[in-house]
Amino acid sequence: MTAEHILHRSTSARPPAAVRGEGIYVIDSDGRRYVDACGGAAVSCLGHGNRTVIDAIAEQSAKLEFVHTGFFTTDPAEELAAVIADLCPGSLDRVWFTSSGSEATEAALKLARQYHLERGDSRRSKVIARRLSYHGNTLGALAAGGSIWRRKPYEPLLIDVALADPCFKYRFAETGESAEAYGQRAADSLEREIQRLGPDTVMAFIAETVVGATAGAVPPVAGYLQRVREICNRHGVLLILDEVMCGSGRTGTFLSCEQNGVVPDIATLGKGLGGGYQPIGAVVCTKDVYDTIARGSGALKHGQTYNAHPVGCAAALAVQRVIGEEGLLNRVEVAGTRLRELMAARFGNHPNVGDIRGRGLLLALELVADRGTKAPFDPQLAMHQRAKSDAFSRGLLIYPGGGTVDGRSGDHILLAAPYNVTDNELEMIVDLLGQTLDAILPS
Ligand code: PMP
């Protein structure tokens, strides 16, 4: 290898070079095989090296690698939009393509602002997000997120975004409070924020349907999202659901919010949409949002060079077709149930595992110093990082997270296996993870 010029995530450590992927395995330049139990960051929904997707990419690259959306549309973009519209619930049926989840958040926020402008309501510019949430790392998306450590260095550069409470039962429900009652209480914090800001000034509320990276696979309790939907309707606030991590089938339905019977005005997608085969994200909006713009100025005042990239769209189209043809949404549900059972059997009574949670194949366990009091480990111990390193040394890839409780303390481990994971692979994941937890946890 020649001199180093790449700025890695850490300036002190160069990660091993990955050279190949095969199903659930990533293989490095020394021939070591890693079981990819997290798809990087819940990306690789079909595992690695899927022939159908690779062939679709090769075919589109050979036909037409790129055109700019200012001049042309393409078949893969039109077809992918139709597939997404078909898979999405309610009247979510217009799609804007981006190259990442963060860009989808940015576009969704601009779309929300423009929607209100086109209605002649220029006062609405304020965004409400939730504490312990993540919507991306570009400045607008970072501002609209509630991840303290990610925001801190850039705080002076961020637009003002109000933060409502998360819906995180394990941590924030009172003892004896029913899930239902807690969900209503959590949703009511949104209404308080709307009242505080002035209902006529709020343009959108943005939330992850299932919280991913910041809190570790936290699904909303029953009734919470319905109440949020009602509150948004009551105040003319658009509901943006971030399905970048939990959408595209990761929880067993195309959008995770389908399981809550709630349809947002705008949904964002990324990660599993293209399964990592190409960088692609999307914003899906309802007919009402689209029609408002069509009746008004007739154009979204936004655009980036790689919007609706033909090869990206062809890859995502192939990924979604494989999911449909192989019945993988059903497999997500079955495999998710199986993985949860295996985790419950192995870690359910572990004194340092406080909670096992999630939906479909987006699952997590939260590590605690004391199961009875739910006290987290001292953040100095960086238990989630220890877990990642130990697992890595055993050939297991997991997605760790810190700051689970309040943005500073708390540790969780996120698992996001491919939708076509086998039962044997699930057993292997839990076995290796068990070895890691035995090695790093005190009891
Ligand atoms: N939203 C959510 C819920 C995410 O998990 C992520 C990525 N972790 C993003 C947005 C941003 O996506 P990207 O990293 O592709 O910009």
Side-chain angles (χ1 to χ4, degrees), residues 39-178:
V43 173
S44 305
C45 59
L46 295 183
H48 303 279
N50 186 287
R51 217 352 94 192
T52 309
V53 185
I54 295 166
D55 288 346
I57 291 171
E59 199 181 312
Q60 183 58 42
S61 307
K63 262 202 266 181
L64 178 66
E65 77 302 329
F66 172 74
V67 279
H68 193 278
T69 45
F71 300 90
F72 294 104
T73 186
T74 62
D75 284 349
E78 296 289 340
E79 283 170 36
L80 179 61
V83 165
I84 292 173
D86 197 40
L87 289 167
C88 278
S91 72
L92 284 169
D93 74 348
R94 289 284 171 167
V95 188
W96 174 270
F97 290 113
T98 66
S99 305
S100 68
S102 300
E103 289 173 60
T105 303
E106 301 286 341
L109 293 174
K110 282 183 155 181
L111 181 59
R113 167 68 179 160
Q114 204 182 324
Y115 167 82
H116 292 298
L117 285 178
E118 306 271 7
R119 292 170 46 253
D121 195 350
S122 60
R123 284 170 310 173
R124 289 191 186 261
S125 60
K126 293 184 182 154
V127 180
I128 303 176
R130 298 189 298 184
R131 290 184 288 109
L132 294 175
S133 60
Y134 182 64
H135 302 294
N137 248 338
T138 50
L139 291 175
L142 188 61
S147 167
I148 294 176
W149 64 266
R150 287 184 180 88
R151 294 173 60 106
K152 201 160 189 320
Y154 307 106
E155 220 41 89
L157 311 183
L158 303 180
I159 57 164
D160 214 10
V161 169
L163 297 177
D165 291 343
C167 181
F168 188 177
K169 181 169 168 287
Y170 175 68
R171 281 288 163 196
F172 301 118
E174 308 275 348
T175 321
E177 187 177 32
S178 72

Side-chain angles (χ1 to χ4, degrees), residues 100-102 105 134-136 208 242 244-245 271 399:
S100 68
S102 300
T105 303
Y134 182 64
H135 302 294
E208 293 161 83
D242 180 336
V244 169
M245 187 179 278
K271 298 184 187 274
Y399 187 17

Side-chain angles (χ1 to χ4, degrees), residues 189-207:
S189 90
L190 167 62
E191 189 145 42
R192 275 199 305 281
E193 276 309 301
I194 293 175
Q195 297 292 7
R196 186 180 69 79
L197 295 170
D200 296 347
T201 67
V202 181
M203 75 176 197
F205 172 58
I206 180 166

